[in-house]
Amino acid sequence: MSNIAGKAYAMNVITPLKWLTTLRTRLIFWGAGKLPSTTLGLVTLSLIHYARWVILRPKDFPHLGPEQPKEDLQYCYMLFFSNFNGSWDQYVDSFSSTIPTGLDSFWYKNIKYTNSIPMLPFHRYITWNQIWTDNYYNAYPMASTNDVKSAQKVRQNLIDFARSTANATPDDFQRQYNKLLLSLQHDLSQMGLNPVVSLSASAVDRRLGKERRGVS
Amino acid sequence: MTTAADDFLDLSDIQGIVVKAYSRFGFPVARYVLFRIDLPAHGRKFVVGITPMITTGVRWTDPASIPSAATNIAFTYKGLKHLDVLDASLHGFSDEFSMGMKARRDIVGDTGPNHPRHWDPVWHNESETGQHVHILVTIDGKGETEVEARYRQILALLVECPGVVQLSGQRGGGSDDLPYQPAAAIPPKPEEAGFPGGKEHFGYSDGISTTFFKGCGADPMEVIGEDKPVKGDPRTLEGWAPVAAGELIFGYPDEAFEYPEAPGPPLFSRNGTYLVYRKLHENTGSFESYLEAEGARFPGGKEALAAKFAGRWRNGAPLATFPTQESADRYIAELSALQLKVWAGQASPAEQARYQELALQLVALDYGDDKDGARCPFGAHTRRVNPRSALRFGNKKAFADDPGALSNRRRVLRRGLPYGRSETPARDDGDHGIVIMIVNADLSRQFEFVQQQWITFGNDFKLANDQDPLPGNHGTSKNCRAGGRMII
């Protein structure tokens, strides 16, 4: 079990809210979807792969069969799901520093929501309601979302370049190549391992590594 | 909830090293002395004895009020334990502090050539019964004589406290066993008289910018470019606001309107803070030879390449404002000529006004007009460690009310001086570098974050794993060359 895979961290937070509050929250979600400028701050946070808010009604929770006890849920629930690069603290602090109003309007009157500032109660609220990740897989453990975006841009530009220079003269090729390098200069950095963001996580990694190698 | 009283700091109870960058007050020489406490009673007696010598943060209103030497003191977690501080208080310290920097080496990137086994011998042999560093005493002074006098005064306390032991084992001057770490500003070359800041061994003007915080007592004009950017023209007072004192000192509200987490009772920790002590060796030979070799192929030559590394020309001019060497040299020549006149008291009112205008240009920038990093690269040292508004990546509507939203809570105070002399700058192996002390109220959110995410990593700047070209840990290859990478 780990919330961390490579450079990515998975966060699930489920918070209860009252029926009436869901109506307002749905309206806020709808407005945010219609007005992308309201989520500009969120989009600028390049450490986030994506963030998604979903409202679940009691009947939306799966009931897999008669052997599963029925639950008597009193509230609706808001599921927040996000993947990001960096540490838990970096992520939560970035959110509350950059879009405090946005967070407060999304969570509004969810039960015991503390507001995103001050930060310590907000940390406690998220920690209390976070559901730890059981299985988490990352196809590109050494890549952050910025790295993936850069790689996609480099690939597409190279394909276009190869096409457009197929019949270029050497001078023209050189000119276009220099232009290509200039346009890609922010996308050519070197990928590597994630820094150690948690000594506990790195200790687990070392232990698992030893176990795999058969070292006691 | 904060009150107006929270904006007034009890400067008489805050150490001077927190509030003042001593080099700005004509203190070019320092000694950093380490002690171990064997007997708690003697440790406490030593602390009582040194207390009258401790320099406070009270503002020096005129030159006559500036002492000839300043003394400050810091304790490690184990040091406090050996002073018999109550467990209830000790438990209130953060893990980062109680573990110590050695144990946090994987977090802060002290691996490979930076591994603690390469640190000065005084940091070796640490075990529960062996040598431990418990106390750091810093002495800053106007000259060697003043520092020596204060040093003797402090050592005299040990006669009465044999249970406190001065630790030798600091490296310098060809010895591995110095009783203290000497440090001193590098005297400017004649042609560099009046240049801003002091020099460090790579030849950069350093210490130009410092964090301005609420209640620090400095000239309010110094907030420009030295603090958190707000809505407004970054060249004026409207573009900046002081950072909350609680980011740097316990007992005051921070940027999130909270009091920083600190050990109780409040009287124990209020007006205190965390200080990080690091001694960074500088590989002057490798640096210069790299600049020579690569500068020959780089447009603008080695000086332009050196400027791209730091985000400032070696003469101190910021690259984002002065993109060519010619403009930087012209600017610094005018600024330093006026600086000399101001120091000599010979500047006319018009010259003084012009001097103020030019001095502001050293720091009054927010990268808003260099969003693509065409002038100052995203990965340049000064843009990394103090990104100002740069993390908006030119998107001025993002975090519009708080352009420094992603950097305001990472601010720290930098203190310290260069050590050693690079008399043979063509070599790496002399004793020369920088002693840097970093002051902050949250080691994890501030020092460790900057050290890890901004110095030894690059994702926040969209630079993957690229590191800071200067203090980054670039490792060494088999031929002893560093293996860093930077896109300029």
Side-chain angles (χ1 to χ4, degrees):
Chain A
M1 181 183 110
S2 174
N3 291 66
I4 302 171
K7 284 180 175 169
Y9 187 110
M11 179 182 277
N12 311 287
V13 179
I14 296 185
T15 49
L17 70 170
K18 290 179 180 169
W19 270 101
L20 276 176
T21 312
T22 63
L23 301 175
R24 182 203 169 275
T25 307
R26 283 183 197 280
L27 195 65
I28 295 280
F29 287 178
W30 178 83
K34 289 289 174 194
L35 285 172
S37 61
T38 56
T39 50
L40 187 64
L42 186 65
V43 173
T44 309
L45 285 176
S46 70
L47 80 166
I48 300 176
H49 297 195
Y50 63 87
R52 185 164 187 176
W53 287 261
V54 182
I55 292 176
L56 300 170
R57 296 162 298 180
K59 68 174 184 182
D60 292 331
F61 286 85
H63 187 252
L64 302 177
E67 63 278 10
Q68 181 184 344
K70 284 245 181 193
E71 287 181 290
D72 182 21
L73 298 174
Q74 303 296 311
Y75 295 109
C76 289
Y77 287 82
M78 189 161 94
L79 167 67
F80 170 71
F81 180 49
S82 182
N83 279 199
F84 57 88
N85 303 121
S87 68
W88 187 97
D89 285 288
Q90 183 185 3
Y91 179 71
V92 176
D93 291 354
S94 298
F95 253 102
S96 59
S97 297
T98 55
I99 51 166
T101 318
L103 288 186
D104 294 346
S105 63
F106 275 18
W107 261 279
Y108 186 51
K109 283 194 174 171
N110 286 26
I111 305 298
K112 298 204 174 181
Y113 179 63
T114 59
N115 280 348
S116 54
I117 291 174
M119 228 170 247
L120 291 176
F122 180 61
H123 278 199
R124 280 196 286 270
Y125 177 78
I126 296 293
T127 307
W128 181 257
N129 291 295
Q130 185 169 349
I131 306 294
W132 300 96
T133 308
D134 285 338
N135 291 295
Y136 190 35
Y137 171 74
N138 185 346
Y140 305 101
M142 288 214 291
S144 69
T145 181
N146 286 329
D147 302 337
V148 172
K149 283 181 199 164
S150 285
Q152 286 181 325
K153 187 175 167 192
V154 170
R155 181 175 184 273
Q156 191 56 50
N157 277 260
L158 275 177
I159 290 169
D160 295 345
F161 174 75
R163 209 171 279 142
S164 66
T165 55
N167 300 312
T169 63
D171 284 350
D172 191 34
F173 182 92
Q174 182 72 55
R175 202 164 34 249
Q176 288 199 54
Y177 179 73
N178 290 344
K179 200 173 153 193
L180 175 74
L181 274 186
L182 197 63
S183 71
L184 292 177
Q185 62 180 321
H186 292 311
D187 302 292
L188 298 173
S189 294
Q190 200 161 31
M191 284 198 305
L193 295 172
N194 200 33
V196 174
V197 292
S198 148
L199 289 178
S200 312
S202 68
V204 171
D205 280 349
R206 273 199 299 275
R207 194 191 71 210
L208 292 176
K210 277 184 182 174
E211 282 173 8
R212 272 194 295 271
R213 292 194 304 275
V215 182
S216 60
Chain B
M1 176 105 183
T2 65
T3 66
D6 287 327
D7 290 345
F8 292 94
L9 306 189
D10 185 359
L11 293 174
S12 63
D13 194 43
I14 299 172
Q15 295 205 52
I17 198 168
V18 175
V19 181
K20 301 176 173 87
Y22 287 133
S23 57
R24 293 187 174 197
F25 293 90
F27 285 14
V29 183
R31 283 183 196 179
Y32 307 120
V33 197
L34 302 171
F35 298 92
R36 187 186 73 223
I37 302 164
D38 288 340
L39 292 172
H42 287 192
R44 291 194 292 274
K45 194 172 180 186
F46 177 77
V47 174
V48 168
I50 202 173
T51 298
M53 296 179 222
I54 300 298
T55 308
T56 71
V58 171
R59 198 173 174 194
W60 293 328
T61 47
D62 64 89
S65 63
I66 302 178
S68 58
T71 308
N72 290 110
I73 190 165
F75 305 92
T76 60
Y77 179 81
K78 293 220 167 75
L80 293 170
K81 205 170 176 178
H82 279 72
L83 285 170
D84 278 349
V85 169
L86 295 177
D87 282 351
S89 294
L90 291 172
H91 292 160
F93 284 108
S94 64
D95 288 350
E96 298 80 34
F97 178 66
S98 57
M99 290 171 78
M101 200 157 44
K102 256 186 180 178
R104 309 281 299 173
R105 61 185 177 274
D106 288 339
I107 296 271
V108 296
D110 285 343
T111 56
N114 296 348
H115 192 279
R117 66 174 160 268
H118 301 299
W119 295 1
D120 284 4
V122 71
W123 300 102
H124 299 171
N125 308 320
E126 290 207 343
S127 68
E128 203 52 51
T129 52
Q131 191 177 57
H132 263 126
V133 177
H134 292 155
I135 298 177
L136 162 71
V137 171
T138 65
I139 309 169
D140 291 77
K142 291 180 175 174
E144 199 60 57
T145 313
E146 289 83 356
V147 169
E148 171 70 14
R150 179 59 55 85
Y151 175 67
R152 292 285 155 208
Q153 222 178 334
I154 292 165
L155 292 197
L157 296 172
L158 299 183
V159 177
E160 298 289 315
C161 317
V164 175
V165 180
Q166 183 185 6
L167 297 174
S168 60
Q170 309 217 46
R171 207 174 278 147
S175 165
D176 264 1
D177 205 25
L178 290 183
Y180 56 82
Q181 175 62 56
I186 299 172
K189 294 173 189 162
E191 65 273 22
E192 292 176 342
F195 271 30
K199 288 282 175 186
E200 54 68 62
H201 294 291
F202 288 153
Y204 292 102
S205 291
D206 195 16
I208 292 173
S209 151
T210 187
T211 301
F212 187 103
F213 56 97
K214 270 184 191 168
C216 66
D219 179 350
M221 284 299 283
E222 287 182 20
V223 74
I224 299 177
E226 305 217 354
D227 218 280
K228 61 173 185 178
V230 293
K231 265 182 173 175
D233 186 341
R235 292 164 298 184
T236 66
L237 274 173
E238 283 67 46
W240 303 90
V243 77
E247 292 294 313
L248 306 160
I249 305 169
F250 299 145
Y252 299 92
D254 62 21
E255 285 289 315
F257 312 110
E258 293 169 292
Y259 293 92
E261 286 189 286
L267 193 62
F268 175 65
S269 57
R270 183 176 159 86
N271 295 319
T273 185
Y274 289 122
L275 181 141
V276 179
Y277 179 93
R278 287 173 74 80
K279 182 178 177 183
L280 307 177
H281 176 71
E282 293 183 83
N283 291 323
T284 49
S286 297
F287 184 72
E288 274 303 316
S289 65
Y290 184 86
L291 283 183
E292 287 290 347
E294 298 302 318
R297 305 192 294 130
F298 184 69
K302 64 182 271 195
E303 284 308 318
L305 188 59
K308 293 285 186 186
F309 284 169
R312 287 187 185 275
W313 295 86
R314 289 208 269 194
N315 63 19
L319 197 51
T321 312
F322 302 97
T324 64
Q325 187 169 6
E326 188 196 355
S327 63
D329 288 351
R330 197 169 51 237
Y331 163 68
I332 291 294
E334 188 182 359
L335 175 68
S336 53
L338 285 170
Q339 172 80 81
L340 293 175
K341 278 194 172 181
V342 169
W343 280 341
Q346 295 167 347
S348 67
E351 285 174 325
Q352 286 204 10
R354 176 67 177 155
Y355 167 71
Q356 295 291 347
E357 184 189 331
L358 290 176
L360 272 185
Q361 292 178 32
L362 279 172
V363 290
L365 62 136
D366 70 348
Y367 303 111
D369 55 359
D370 187 30
K371 63 184 175 62
D372 296 322
R375 293 177 172 192
C376 179
F378 289 168
H381 171 64
T382 52
R383 190 165 177 154
R384 278 173 172 267
V385 295
N386 183 10
R388 301 161 188 259
S389 305
L391 295 176
R392 293 195 300 175
F393 292 97
N395 193 345
K396 291 197 173 176
K397 287 182 180 167
F399 339 135
D401 293 331
D402 193 4
L406 286 174
S407 52
N408 293 339
R409 306 215 66 201
R410 315 291 182 193
R411 300 308 309 276
V412 298
L413 295 166
R414 290 183 305 148
R415 302 292 184 245
L417 281 172
Y419 70 87
R421 288 278 170 267
S422 49
E423 283 152 1
T424 51
R427 296 170 59 105
D428 285 343
D429 56 357
D431 293 309
H432 46 255
I434 288 181
V435 170
I436 184 165
M437 285 173 280
I438 293 149
V439 175
N440 56 187
D442 188 324
L443 288 165
S444 171
R445 175 165 49 75
Q446 293 166 281
F447 162 66
E448 287 193 350
F449 179 89
V450 172
Q451 178 67 25
Q452 177 182 88
Q453 293 288 320
W454 289 357
I455 290 178
T456 59
F457 195 46
N459 190 51
D460 272 8
F461 311 102
K462 303 185 180 181
L463 295 172
N465 282 62
D466 289 357
Q467 299 195 27
D468 188 316
L470 297 174
N473 182 350
H474 304 292
T476 48
S477 60
K478 279 181 186 164
N479 59 1
C480 295
R481 300 290 296 198
R485 178 183 168 107
M486 180 188 183
I487 306 281
I488 46 179

